[in-house]
Amino acid sequence: MKEILVTGGLGYIGSHTVVELMMKNYNVSIIDNLSNSEIFILENIEKITGRNPIFFNIDLTDYNKTNSCFTKKNYDGVIHFAAFKSVSESVEYPEKYYSNNLNSLLNILRCMKENKVDNIVFSSSCTVYGQPDDLPVSEKFPFKEAESPYARTKQISENIIKDFVNSTSFLSGISLRYFNPVGAHHSGLIGELPIGIPDNLVPYITQTAAGIRKELQVFGDDYDTHDGTAIRDYIHVEDLAEAHIAALERMCENKMDSEYEYYNIGTGVGNSVLDVVKSFERVNKLKLNYSVIERRSGDIEKIFSDCRISNKKLGWATKKGLDEMMNSAWKWQNNISSFLKG
Ligand code: UFG
């Protein structure tokens, strides 16, 4: 059985990937310092899978502690999620983002190099493309000026991985550039846990429907789109989790065309803010309070993925549509308060 180390394995995308790995019979170790999660997520992973991952509550910016995890097992691969992810916070506190996100990655790569661990899958973002000139966005597009310190940490991280891969004969890396991950596990036992007021659309919608927020503010309806609201490529988090296993298998089975590869992970379909709201209302049979206000600064009009390369090379494709995303997000929202009360 293959041994995989997942950093940030109790986070939103990390926890779904851990479940998927365990369902596929991988042995999983998790490093997570609970900076953006709760310990009940670990218990719920165990409920879903009927198995217990190894859990290290460790801060990845501590090299010695991180390295101590690498000496406990011979890992076949690492999936590195652990990072801060708020665009707006990164603009206010760039030092926090550069320090945490880059030092964590450097420590992981150093440990991999010293302990001869071969394969890393990295959690990147379509934000590395900046404002794309053309749509859909292909992997062939270059990085453009980063829109935020968060975006720049993703660009820098991808380059760091490339340099490490070039520095050894054994390291391989794949960066997965996510579009907009939403929804939750179909069990309703794991999902996104936003701290405070959500920045992102779907947690804001579910919190509004739950009565935690008064109304959703739709940021702008004067974009050049079918209904005037901005367009994104929303992808179900379970489909996204599967892409990590496909990437890992590509590396473990030595199918790589080169030691470092990068893929877009989206559906290829663009949906507007109002498409999302309408799907949420329809599948969950409720009405959402919302009003339209001015555009949010820094937002782009539309972005969606060209998935042809990732579909072909990873042998992976999404299966779930917007309605399943909205249905699972609402199921999760309805469970959160009882989980948090314990
Ligand atoms: N939106 C609203 N109201 C809200 C929240 C969002 O109308 O309360 C709109 C936004 O204006 C945007 C769309 O919903 O048009 C999606 O917004 P999100 O904040 O959910 O997602 P973004 O596309 O802005 O950001 C996401 C990730 C970032 C990543 C970025 C680019 O959250 O981490 O994609 O990759 F950097």
Side-chain angles (χ1 to χ4, degrees):
M1 239 188 265
K2 288 210 158 47
E3 297 284 345
I4 308 299
L5 178 65
V6 182
T7 74
L10 299 185
Y12 175 40
I13 302 165
S15 58
H16 289 81
T17 304
V18 166
V19 164
E20 194 56 32
L21 283 166
M22 293 173 75
M23 294 309 238
K24 294 220 160 86
N25 270 328
Y26 286 90
N27 282 337
V28 175
S29 302
I30 294 171
I31 300 181
D32 199 301
N33 67 355
L34 294 169
S35 64
N36 193 11
S37 188
E38 298 282 340
I39 199 67
F40 80 82
I41 297 287
L42 182 63
E43 291 154 18
N44 285 3
I45 288 173
E46 291 167 356
K47 272 187 210 155
I48 298 169
T49 61
R51 298 176 56 204
N52 300 325
I54 294 173
F55 173 52
F56 303 107
N57 184 342
I58 277 175
D59 188 329
L60 291 165
T61 60
D62 184 324
Y63 174 77
N64 290 331
K65 285 186 182 160
T66 305
N67 197 44
S68 72
C69 306
F70 279 80
T71 55
K72 303 232 165 57
K73 294 258 178 205
N74 284 324
Y75 291 113
D76 296 285
V78 174
I79 308 184
H80 180 52
F81 292 102
F84 294 146
K85 62 173 186 180
S86 162
V87 174
S88 55
E89 190 186 38
S90 80
V91 173
E92 204 173 342
Y93 303 107
E95 62 280 18
K96 182 173 168 181
Y97 277 68
Y98 288 117
S99 169
N100 182 68
N101 294 5
L102 299 182
N103 283 319
S104 298
L105 174 67
L106 284 170
N107 282 342
I108 282 291
L109 288 168
R110 244 181 95 191
C111 290
M112 290 180 73
K113 210 169 160 176
E114 277 159 31
N115 296 281
K116 296 257 174 327
V117 178
D118 296 340
N119 303 308
I120 181 164
V121 180
F122 176 63
S123 174
S124 190
S125 164
C126 67
T127 195
V128 296
Y129 295 113
Q131 299 253 359
D133 290 328
D134 213 353
L135 288 171
V137 183
S138 155
E139 287 88 342
K140 293 179 182 141
F141 290 17
F143 287 180
K144 290 181 68 189
E145 183 62 22
E147 302 277 303
S148 65
Y150 163 76
R152 209 181 306 279
T153 66
K154 292 296 180 194
Q155 293 180 336
I156 297 170
S157 294
E158 287 204 23
N159 283 320
I160 289 175
I161 294 170
K162 211 185 318 172
D163 288 340
F164 266 77
V165 161
N166 286 334
S167 75
T168 72
S169 56
F170 58 90
L171 257 180
S172 299
I174 294 184
S175 292
L176 299 181
R177 297 174 179 167
Y178 314 150
F179 282 66
N180 285 57
V182 298
H185 193 262
H186 61 274
S187 63
L189 290 171
I190 56 173
E192 190 169 7
L193 279 175
I195 299 174
I197 302 172
D199 265 342
N200 298 116
L201 178 64
V202 175
Y204 210 104
I205 289 178
T206 59
Q207 290 197 4
T208 304
I212 301 166
R213 313 274 155 219
K214 219 168 94 224
E215 65 169 16
L216 170 73
Q217 296 182 323
V218 174
F219 299 138
D221 66 353
D222 56 352
Y223 288 107
D224 182 18
T225 64
H226 62 275
D227 59 20
T229 63
I231 285 182
R232 297 287 182 276
D233 185 340
Y234 297 94
I235 172 171
H236 196 298
V237 64
E238 287 189 278
D239 280 333
L240 177 56
E242 284 185 8
H244 295 80
I245 285 89
L248 204 58
E249 285 173 355
R250 182 171 169 83
M251 287 194 288
C252 291
E253 290 165 15
N254 294 318
K255 291 183 177 159
M256 307 265 287
D257 297 329
S258 64
E259 286 75 35
Y260 175 70
E261 296 179 345
Y262 43 90
Y263 295 106
N264 285 351
I265 304 298
T267 64
V269 178
N271 280 292
S272 71
V273 176
L274 288 182
D275 290 336
V276 175
V277 169
K278 281 183 201 146
S279 164
F280 181 84
E281 291 184 326
R282 189 177 57 249
V283 294
N284 299 313
K285 299 186 178 52
L286 37 85
K287 274 262 156 260
L288 194 74
N289 288 333
Y290 70 87
S291 62
V292 177
I293 63 161
E294 69 277 12
R295 295 179 179 193
R296 179 169 69 178
S297 88
D299 268 351
I300 56 176
E301 183 169 87
K302 45 183 139 165
I303 183 164
F304 51 93
S305 165
D306 183 337
C307 310
R308 283 173 299 181
I309 295 178
S310 52
N311 289 170
K312 182 161 171 243
K313 296 284 183 182
L314 297 176
W316 161 91
T318 56
K319 301 185 200 101
K320 295 172 191 271
L322 192 56
D323 286 357
E324 277 168 288
M325 301 178 211
M326 292 306 111
N327 194 247
S328 60
W330 182 229
K331 183 172 179 181
W332 164 244
Q333 178 68 55
N334 282 315
N335 287 339
I336 298 176
S337 42
S338 62
F339 290 144
L340 287 173
K341 273 182 216 129

